[in-house]
Amino acid sequence: MSGLPLSQDAIQSRNDDQRADLQDDYESLGRALERRGIAIDAIKAKVAGFSVAVPSWGSGRGGTRFAKFPIPGEPTTIHEKLADCAVVNQLSRATPRVSPHFPWDFVDDYEALREEAADLGLGFDAVNSNTFQDQPGQALSYRSGSLTATDPGVRAQAVAHNVECIEIGRKLGSKALTVWIGDGTNFPGQQDLGASLDRYLESAAAIYAALPDGWRMLLEHKMYEPAFYSTVIQDWGSSILAAQQLGPKAQCLVDLGHHAPNVNIEQIVARLHRFGKLGGFHFNDSKYGDDDLDSGSINPHQLFLVFNELVEAERKPRDGFDPAYMIDQSHNVTDPIESMLASAEAIGGAYAKALLVDRQALHAAQEANDVMMAFQALRKAYRTDVTPILAMARAEAGGAIDVLAAYRDSGWRERKAQERKPVGLGAGIV
């Protein structure tokens, strides 16, 4: 891990200036928690052991349907993406894995890429396939579907791409494949809705058969977009039914943005866990639809409630409960590194607050049908400012007490703006 991107001495120097104030805040919070029967160091240890992956594509600017506005110094290769992801992890000490996307992240030598990542203090999380776009030189088009296409040649091409991603993942040290397809319809009558699901299951079974031992296949659902009338795997019900038919290596991936407005996502988490099919979670936030906004920026209380169910699942694990956690956002107007740093803190904070819930009081109130006291058990934990716990865990691991200030002081973006090839303007998709 000799290739860390930022000066560790500079991080420690800034921490030294802030350590006394942090210690005072931490001890004050510790005394308050002790009165509630909670040991702050135990919570800190749990937080220090929690991590979330970052997406390789999340290190760059996203785009809207109308335009993309690149940021100076934006990464254009997987090597530059890894460097930016390493900045996030060095400062936050909470994002040690990168989730790559193919063919966007194709290279000639994956063993060398794995070594490059390790030198930056990173490993690889689930690999992601892409059959929702046509690529240069692609033999057949996905315009009418991929894994569910009526043309068997298109389906075979899509299956082969997923199998190729599995082989790449093996070289990178990954243990999971995430499969999301945009297949669906925009007009009533466009497809036989039952037959399209049958084709999906047949194609997914061929991919499933290629999974190595110890691997998982994470099925991601999405309510709409790019198909606006019907989507083949449109909700958690379709996802769990497909996962159950495919077998024990198939599990469901929940993305916070892939739901109808007002859907109770925390209940979905509980249901999937009940049947041993909660395989992964993609963190972002949403105001209107699948907005891919920064985690906790719109509805931090919902994020807390999701983590409340995830902590319950941790306490009652089924079939080796080990969800793949990842940030999945589109940074259209911010520096992507800053957004991922802020999101990692928001996610860690929601986890820390969920750990503070008095489970004994909560469960007793639930059994007694004491609605108000059950709600207050959650509300008391949610109101707690856990910032000192997160900052202390980071500092003890070598990260920054104030991640955003440390990042801006580093001048990373300014240096990369001078070194990297500019990203071209994007015209959007309309």
Side-chain angles (χ1 to χ4, degrees):
M1 209 165 59
S2 60
L4 293 179
L6 302 181
S7 166
Q8 195 62 32
D9 288 341
I11 294 172
Q12 292 306 318
S13 177
R14 169 173 268 281
N15 283 354
D16 289 343
D17 293 338
Q18 301 169 323
R19 199 172 301 276
D21 288 344
L22 172 59
Q23 189 67 39
D24 184 54
D25 291 343
Y26 184 80
E27 290 175 357
S28 177
L29 177 58
R31 289 190 295 272
L33 292 178
E34 188 176 13
R35 291 192 291 271
R36 290 157 57 178
I38 300 172
I40 191 172
D41 286 345
I43 302 300
K44 181 187 66 177
K46 291 282 288 184
V47 169
F50 176 83
S51 64
V52 57
V54 291
S56 63
W57 62 96
S59 60
R61 272 280 179 94
T64 70
R65 294 175 62 238
F66 299 94
K68 172 179 176 175
F69 301 95
I71 188 172
E74 186 174 338
T76 59
T77 68
I78 181 58
H79 310 289
E80 293 175 349
K81 294 174 188 176
L82 287 178
D84 283 8
C85 291
V87 170
V88 177
N89 186 52
Q90 188 178 1
L91 293 172
S92 72
R93 300 293 167 157
T95 61
R97 298 175 307 283
V98 176
S99 189
H101 213 303
F102 302 105
W104 298 340
D105 295 328
F106 275 163
V107 296
D108 294 328
D109 189 339
Y110 293 100
E111 284 83 1
L113 187 67
R114 184 176 182 179
E115 293 175 3
E116 177 184 339
D119 195 48
L120 290 167
L122 300 171
F124 286 98
D125 204 75
V127 295
N128 300 262
S129 60
N130 181 342
T131 62
F132 52 85
Q133 289 178 320
D134 287 348
Q135 304 297 330
Q138 183 175 306
L140 301 171
S141 175
Y142 295 131
R143 69 172 63 92
S144 297
S146 59
L147 295 180
T148 74
T150 55
D151 184 338
V154 174
R155 297 200 302 274
Q157 177 180 272
V159 168
H161 169 62
N162 278 274
V163 173
E164 180 185 26
C165 289
I166 293 172
E167 291 306 309
I168 293 171
R170 290 179 65 176
K171 296 174 183 177
L172 293 177
S174 176
K175 291 288 186 179
L177 169 72
T178 297
V179 179
W180 174 76
I181 58 170
D183 294 20
T185 66
N186 281 290
F187 287 88
Q190 181 179 338
Q191 285 184 3
D192 182 320
L193 300 180
S196 63
L197 179 59
D198 287 340
R199 292 191 293 269
Y200 172 84
L201 292 171
E202 179 184 7
S203 299
I207 300 168
Y208 184 93
L211 292 173
D213 292 339
W215 270 60
R216 293 182 292 169
M217 182 175 174
L218 304 178
L219 308 183
E220 183 174 3
H221 68 270
K222 185 173 183 179
M223 183 178 65
Y224 69 96
E225 194 187 35
F228 286 90
Y229 174 69
S230 71
T231 300
V232 177
I233 304 296
Q234 85 285 4
D235 59 19
W236 74 276
S238 297
S239 180
I240 194 172
L241 288 171
Q244 287 174 330
Q245 178 159 328
L246 289 172
K249 293 180 182 178
Q251 294 181 307
C252 303
L253 189 148
V254 178
D255 185 301
L256 270 171
H258 290 188
H259 309 272
N262 305 317
V263 163
N264 191 323
I265 301 173
E266 54 269 29
Q267 181 168 295
I268 294 173
V269 171
R271 293 292 183 266
L272 291 176
H273 174 61
R274 166 61 181 80
F275 293 97
K277 287 297 185 182
L278 182 60
F281 212 97
H282 281 184
F283 294 104
N284 50 58
D285 214 333
S286 174
K287 178 66 175 176
Y288 299 107
D290 184 21
D291 306 322
D292 273 347
L293 303 177
D294 287 12
S295 300
S297 63
I298 303 297
N299 195 344
H301 189 247
Q302 180 187 63
L303 184 61
F304 161 73
L305 294 176
V306 165
F307 265 104
N308 180 59
E309 294 303 326
L310 291 170
V311 168
E312 287 283 359
E314 275 187 1
R315 292 163 57 87
K316 304 170 188 175
R318 296 175 181 269
D319 303 322
F321 174 75
D322 184 25
Y325 294 135
M326 191 191 81
I327 295 171
D328 186 13
Q329 303 170 171
S330 182
H331 312 115
N332 300 331
V333 296
T334 59
D335 181 326
I337 290 178
E338 292 189 353
S339 274
M340 289 196 287
L341 284 169
S343 293
E345 184 161 27
I347 293 164
Y351 177 57
K353 290 182 178 186
L355 291 172
L356 297 180
V357 173
D358 185 336
R359 299 285 155 186
Q360 184 175 354
L362 174 63
H363 296 155
Q366 290 170 341
E367 288 298 317
N369 295 309
D370 191 336
V371 177
M372 183 54 68
M373 288 301 102
F375 172 66
Q376 290 302 319
L378 296 182
R379 180 49 56 92
K380 189 173 185 178
Y382 179 69
R383 284 199 304 255
T384 305
D385 181 4
V386 296
T387 303
I389 298 176
L390 302 178
M392 188 64 77
R394 283 196 303 270
E396 290 180 354
I401 291 174
D402 186 334
V403 292
L404 291 178
Y407 169 66
R408 291 195 171 190
D409 283 354
S410 75
W412 175 263
R413 182 63 66 192
E414 292 78 8
R415 293 199 305 276
K416 297 302 132 179
Q418 299 298 317
E419 298 169 6
R420 292 175 176 172
K421 177 182 176 181
V423 174
L425 295 176
I429 59 173
V430 295

